[in-house]
Amino acid sequence: MYTQGLNEQTGRPVAAEATEDEARLRAFQARIDAEEKIEPKDWMPDAYRQTLIRQISQHAHSEIVGMLPEGNWITRAPSLMRKSILIAKVQDEGGHGAYLYSAAETLGVSRAELIDQLLSGRAKYSSIFNYPTLSWADVGAIGWLVDGAAIMNQIPLCRCSYGPYARAMIRICKEESFHQRQGYDIMLKLARGTAAQRRMAQDALDRWWWPSLMMFGPPDAASMHTAHSVRWKIKRFTNDELRQKFVDFTVPQAKFLGLNVPDPALRWDAEAGMHRYGEIDWTEFNQVLKGHGPCNRERLAERRAAHEDGRWVREAAAAHAAKHGARAAA
Ligand code: BYC
């Protein structure tokens, strides 16, 4: 016997709906545990949907804001070959943004709404893109470290439980891998170049090392979303696990370049089989997230200007589609 009132929307007893929801939740988790992919038309808990919209849209924003620091160097690339590679890379990042916005749209949110969240400053994007690119070596360091960190974080996303996100990540990871190689190649050339070029490479590593470690997000103890995301197999590893993998992978690459990782506490722990690294400045990270990084204002201003510049294209495309729609209907 139900003592609760009737659900106003369905006219069915609330307790019956609660039981039904619990059954759906159990069935949903069982599908996740069995490594089945969840597809757009499948039932999913609202918190799962919201987590995905948040993560995928932040990821998409990071891709298109990430075009800016490197795009800044296209006109100053040191050779025709470097210029064409950089143009291709920056274009790839725009493409990644497009796949990711499309993946987010399958969850019932529009791209226009997401872009509005970015341009109004309500949405986050990766902290790393709020640092300046001061020299050509920074383009190398971004490819090597930033795309390197991105790959470490994104390869597991190819196995994310949500089908459209996982599938988008497969192509993105292939392209990120090319990006990482081109960055390392720039660093290698500089590290084996003149004394001034080596200094440039070292200076870039000094400035990009710590912000790259911050890309993986807050430490696990402070990460509010990790537990749910791991249970739902959106995230396969925690922030600290991926950060550790990145350090272990990257330190030998720095040694090969003959460059010094700017961390006096860095040491190999043979017993644990991993590198130990120094304390990350989480105050700096939180400041960047609050909008007080070196380039937050500049990045948003540039994105807003780009959006305005593209207004006529969007309007022309919409008018064209409407004209064709009207013809087809006639
Ligand atoms: N920057 O509970 P947590 C690229 C936020 S694109 C800013 O651990 P979660 C590339 C987090 O959003 C690289 N915010 O969260 C592009 C949350 O805030 P809200 C981008 C960060 O989601 C162009 C709060 O802090 N990659 O590589 O479980 C050129 C608590 O964090 C950051 C992706 O987006 C950060 N670094 O884990 C070159 C990958 N870290 O939403 C290269 C997909 C954390 O509660 N995303 N926050 O307000 C992820 O894997 C996860 O979202 C994260 C964070 C690991 C980043």
Side-chain angles (χ1 to χ4, degrees):
M1 176 179 145
Y2 299 109
T3 52
Q4 293 94 333
L6 289 178
N7 181 320
E8 280 177 15
Q9 276 177 348
T10 63
R12 297 177 56 225
V14 173
E17 290 217 329
T19 315
E20 189 179 79
D21 272 358
E22 275 166 31
R24 277 173 151 184
L25 277 172
R26 270 198 304 277
F28 175 79
Q29 190 62 45
R31 290 188 64 195
I32 301 259
D33 294 343
E35 298 290 337
E36 275 183 42
K37 288 278 177 262
I38 306 301
E39 297 297 339
K41 288 187 176 159
D42 294 346
W43 183 86
M44 61 187 84
D46 195 51
Y48 177 84
R49 186 185 298 279
Q50 295 312 325
T51 297
L52 280 166
I53 292 175
R54 181 185 62 78
Q55 178 167 326
I56 301 173
S57 61
Q58 287 179 2
H59 192 166
H61 301 328
S62 306
E63 297 284 354
I64 63 165
V65 176
M67 296 168 78
L68 301 173
E70 289 177 288
N72 187 28
W73 275 90
I74 289 174
T75 53
R76 292 175 287 165
S79 71
L80 182 60
M81 190 190 72
R82 292 289 185 203
K83 193 190 285 279
S84 18
I85 294 173
L86 187 57
I87 289 172
K89 180 187 190 291
V90 171
Q91 216 164 28
D92 282 353
E93 313 295 3
H96 298 174
Y99 316 149
L100 289 165
Y101 284 121
S102 299
E105 281 185 310
T106 65
L107 291 154
V109 60
S110 77
R111 183 185 303 210
E113 198 177 320
L114 296 175
I115 297 280
D116 185 56
Q117 288 173 7
L118 171 67
L119 300 183
S120 64
R122 278 175 291 140
K124 290 193 171 79
Y125 58 85
S126 184
S127 50
I128 193 78
F129 301 117
N130 293 306
Y131 292 85
T133 38
L134 304 178
S135 80
W136 173 250
D138 289 11
V139 176
I142 290 183
W144 171 36
L145 301 173
V146 175
D147 288 276
I151 295 171
M152 199 54 84
N153 165 279
Q154 293 174 17
I155 293 275
L157 291 175
C158 298
R159 293 188 293 120
C160 158
S161 58
Y162 187 58
Y165 192 24
R167 289 189 288 274
M169 290 316 302
I170 293 171
R171 177 154 174 194
I172 293 178
C173 284
K174 286 185 183 158
E175 292 176 351
E176 296 291 14
S177 167
F178 149 72
H179 298 168
Q180 198 267 354
R181 291 289 294 273
Q182 68 85 38
Y184 196 70
D185 187 62
I186 293 174
M187 294 303 277
L188 198 58
K189 282 277 181 326
L190 294 174
R192 294 191 176 162
T194 63
Q197 286 172 322
R198 273 197 302 281
R199 274 199 304 277
M200 231 165 84
Q202 182 62 55
D203 172 59
L205 172 57
D206 290 348
R207 285 180 292 105
W208 289 92
W209 176 254
W210 291 105
S212 298
L213 296 194
M214 293 174 196
M215 277 179 77
F216 293 92
D220 291 352
S223 165
M224 55 190 162
H225 301 296
T226 292
H228 273 104
S229 289
V230 167
R231 182 167 147 76
W232 283 327
K233 300 195 181 187
I234 295 172
K235 284 166 90 164
R236 296 276 172 167
F237 297 96
T238 69
N239 300 354
D240 287 334
E241 284 168 350
L242 289 173
R243 193 169 7 249
Q244 184 65 49
K245 278 173 186 274
F246 174 75
V247 172
D248 291 337
F249 199 77
T250 312
V251 169
Q253 296 178 339
K255 280 204 181 111
F256 185 79
L257 292 172
L259 300 178
N260 299 315
V261 172
D263 177 359
L266 185 72
R267 65 180 178 87
W268 173 249
D269 180 341
E271 211 171 297
M274 59 165 79
H275 291 88
R276 301 287 179 190
Y277 54 91
E279 191 58 35
I280 294 174
D281 184 350
W282 293 115
T283 309
E284 175 181 322
F285 174 75
N286 288 322
Q287 283 299 103
V288 173
L289 258 59
K290 281 188 197 146
H292 308 310
C295 299
N296 294 59
R297 281 165 202 267
E298 188 182 325
R299 299 292 182 239
L300 269 191
E302 259 194 88
R303 279 283 8 133
R304 286 187 191 123
H307 192 69
E308 272 314 303
D309 284 351
R311 181 178 295 283
W312 71 270
V313 180
R314 290 189 299 279
E315 286 173 359
H320 183 74
K323 192 169 79 185
H324 278 262
R327 265 197 212 142

